[in-house]
mmCIF file of all heavy atoms in Angstrom:
data_model
loop_
_atom_site.group_PDB
_atom_site.id
_atom_site.type_symbol
_atom_site.label_atom_id
_atom_site.label_comp_id
_atom_site.label_asym_id
_atom_site.label_seq_id
_atom_site.Cartn_x
_atom_site.Cartn_y
_atom_site.Cartn_z
ATOM 1 N N GLU A 114 237.768 72.111 251.508
ATOM 2 C CA GLU A 114 236.321 72.037 251.346
ATOM 3 C C GLU A 114 235.752 73.460 251.376
ATOM 4 O O GLU A 114 236.210 74.305 252.142
ATOM 5 C CB GLU A 114 235.686 71.227 252.478
ATOM 6 C CG GLU A 114 236.097 69.767 252.512
ATOM 7 C CD GLU A 114 235.435 68.954 251.420
ATOM 8 O OE1 GLU A 114 234.378 69.399 250.918
ATOM 9 O OE2 GLU A 114 235.976 67.886 251.078
ATOM 10 N N ILE A 115 234.778 73.711 250.523
ATOM 11 C CA ILE A 115 234.075 74.990 250.543
ATOM 12 C C ILE A 115 232.601 74.702 250.784
ATOM 13 O O ILE A 115 232.056 73.735 250.251
ATOM 14 C CB ILE A 115 234.302 75.786 249.244
ATOM 15 C CG1 ILE A 115 233.723 77.206 249.362
ATOM 16 C CG2 ILE A 115 233.770 75.067 248.028
ATOM 17 C CD1 ILE A 115 234.191 78.138 248.252
ATOM 18 N N ALA A 116 231.967 75.499 251.627
ATOM 19 C CA ALA A 116 230.583 75.243 252.012
ATOM 20 C C ALA A 116 229.781 76.534 252.022
ATOM 21 O O ALA A 116 230.319 77.627 252.231
ATOM 22 C CB ALA A 116 230.521 74.597 253.394
ATOM 23 N N ARG A 117 228.495 76.408 251.795
ATOM 24 C CA ARG A 117 227.586 77.534 251.957
ATOM 25 C C ARG A 117 227.460 77.847 253.441
ATOM 26 O O ARG A 117 227.432 76.941 254.289
ATOM 27 C CB ARG A 117 226.218 77.205 251.375
ATOM 28 C CG ARG A 117 226.215 76.889 249.905
ATOM 29 C CD ARG A 117 224.922 76.248 249.438
ATOM 30 N NE ARG A 117 223.821 77.204 249.512
ATOM 31 C CZ ARG A 117 222.776 77.086 250.315
ATOM 32 N NH1 ARG A 117 222.696 76.068 251.177
ATOM 33 N NH2 ARG A 117 221.817 77.987 250.301
ATOM 34 N N LEU A 118 227.367 79.127 253.773
ATOM 35 C CA LEU A 118 227.176 79.495 255.168
ATOM 36 C C LEU A 118 225.882 78.898 255.709
ATOM 37 O O LEU A 118 225.816 78.479 256.867
ATOM 38 C CB LEU A 118 227.174 81.023 255.316
ATOM 39 C CG LEU A 118 227.244 81.566 256.746
ATOM 40 C CD1 LEU A 118 228.481 81.062 257.476
ATOM 41 C CD2 LEU A 118 227.222 83.088 256.728
ATOM 42 N N ASP A 119 224.855 78.829 254.868
ATOM 43 C CA ASP A 119 223.596 78.237 255.300
ATOM 44 C C ASP A 119 223.741 76.752 255.638
ATOM 45 O O ASP A 119 222.929 76.204 256.391
ATOM 46 C CB ASP A 119 222.527 78.404 254.215
ATOM 47 C CG ASP A 119 221.887 79.788 254.241
ATOM 48 O OD1 ASP A 119 222.225 80.587 255.130
ATOM 49 O OD2 ASP A 119 221.055 80.069 253.350
ATOM 50 N N SER A 120 224.764 76.093 255.092
ATOM 51 C CA SER A 120 224.973 74.674 255.390
ATOM 52 C C SER A 120 225.625 74.462 256.744
ATOM 53 O O SER A 120 225.415 73.423 257.377
ATOM 54 C CB SER A 120 225.849 74.029 254.299
ATOM 55 O OG SER A 120 225.226 74.077 253.038
ATOM 56 N N VAL A 121 226.431 75.435 257.178
ATOM 57 C CA VAL A 121 227.201 75.237 258.414
ATOM 58 C C VAL A 121 226.707 76.071 259.584
ATOM 59 O O VAL A 121 226.964 75.732 260.745
ATOM 60 C CB VAL A 121 228.696 75.519 258.176
ATOM 61 C CG1 VAL A 121 229.260 74.559 257.139
ATOM 62 C CG2 VAL A 121 228.934 76.963 257.741
ATOM 63 N N SER A 122 225.998 77.169 259.321
ATOM 64 C CA SER A 122 225.633 78.069 260.413
ATOM 65 C C SER A 122 224.680 77.451 261.438
ATOM 66 O O SER A 122 224.786 77.771 262.631
ATOM 67 C CB SER A 122 225.045 79.377 259.872
ATOM 68 O OG SER A 122 223.835 79.159 259.175
ATOM 69 N N PRO A 123 223.737 76.559 261.051
ATOM 70 C CA PRO A 123 222.797 76.048 262.060
ATOM 71 C C PRO A 123 223.471 75.356 263.239
ATOM 72 O O PRO A 123 222.953 75.391 264.358
ATOM 73 C CB PRO A 123 221.927 75.069 261.258
ATOM 74 C CG PRO A 123 221.944 75.608 259.866
ATOM 75 C CD PRO A 123 223.348 76.113 259.695
ATOM 76 N N ARG A 124 224.642 74.738 263.010
ATOM 77 C CA ARG A 124 225.287 74.028 264.114
ATOM 78 C C ARG A 124 225.890 74.977 265.145
ATOM 79 O O ARG A 124 226.246 74.554 266.248
ATOM 80 C CB ARG A 124 226.368 73.094 263.580
ATOM 81 C CG ARG A 124 227.641 73.754 263.095
ATOM 82 C CD ARG A 124 228.592 72.808 262.409
ATOM 83 N NE ARG A 124 228.065 72.333 261.139
ATOM 84 C CZ ARG A 124 228.801 71.745 260.201
ATOM 85 N NH1 ARG A 124 230.082 71.514 260.415
ATOM 86 N NH2 ARG A 124 228.250 71.367 259.064
ATOM 87 N N TYR A 125 226.002 76.268 264.808
ATOM 88 C CA TYR A 125 226.631 77.225 265.718
ATOM 89 C C TYR A 125 225.664 78.277 266.276
ATOM 90 O O TYR A 125 225.924 78.857 267.327
ATOM 91 C CB TYR A 125 227.776 77.953 265.010
ATOM 92 C CG TYR A 125 228.846 77.037 264.499
ATOM 93 C CD1 TYR A 125 229.026 76.838 263.132
ATOM 94 C CD2 TYR A 125 229.681 76.349 265.378
ATOM 95 C CE1 TYR A 125 230.011 75.983 262.654
ATOM 96 C CE2 TYR A 125 230.667 75.488 264.910
ATOM 97 C CZ TYR A 125 230.823 75.314 263.546
ATOM 98 O OH TYR A 125 231.792 74.467 263.078
ATOM 99 N N LEU A 126 224.574 78.542 265.579
ATOM 100 C CA LEU A 126 223.715 79.661 265.967
ATOM 101 C C LEU A 126 223.025 79.444 267.306
ATOM 102 O O LEU A 126 222.900 80.378 268.104
ATOM 103 C CB LEU A 126 222.676 79.926 264.872
ATOM 104 C CG LEU A 126 223.207 80.672 263.650
ATOM 105 C CD1 LEU A 126 222.175 80.672 262.536
ATOM 106 C CD2 LEU A 126 223.585 82.096 264.017
ATOM 107 N N GLY A 127 222.562 78.242 267.560
ATOM 108 C CA GLY A 127 221.917 77.964 268.837
ATOM 109 C C GLY A 127 220.820 78.961 269.144
ATOM 110 O O GLY A 127 219.940 79.227 268.327
ATOM 111 N N ALA A 128 220.906 79.549 270.348
ATOM 112 C CA ALA A 128 219.878 80.495 270.790
ATOM 113 C C ALA A 128 220.231 81.943 270.473
ATOM 114 O O ALA A 128 219.557 82.866 270.929
ATOM 115 C CB ALA A 128 219.652 80.338 272.294
ATOM 116 N N ALA A 129 221.284 82.170 269.675
ATOM 117 C CA ALA A 129 221.685 83.540 269.341
ATOM 118 C C ALA A 129 220.532 84.275 268.664
ATOM 119 O O ALA A 129 219.841 83.724 267.802
ATOM 120 C CB ALA A 129 222.902 83.530 268.429
#
Side-chain angles (χ1 to χ4, degrees):
E114 296 286 338
I115 188 167
R117 299 166 68 245
L118 191 58
D119 279 357
S120 298
V121 299
S122 64
R124 74 188 68 164
Y125 301 111
L126 283 170

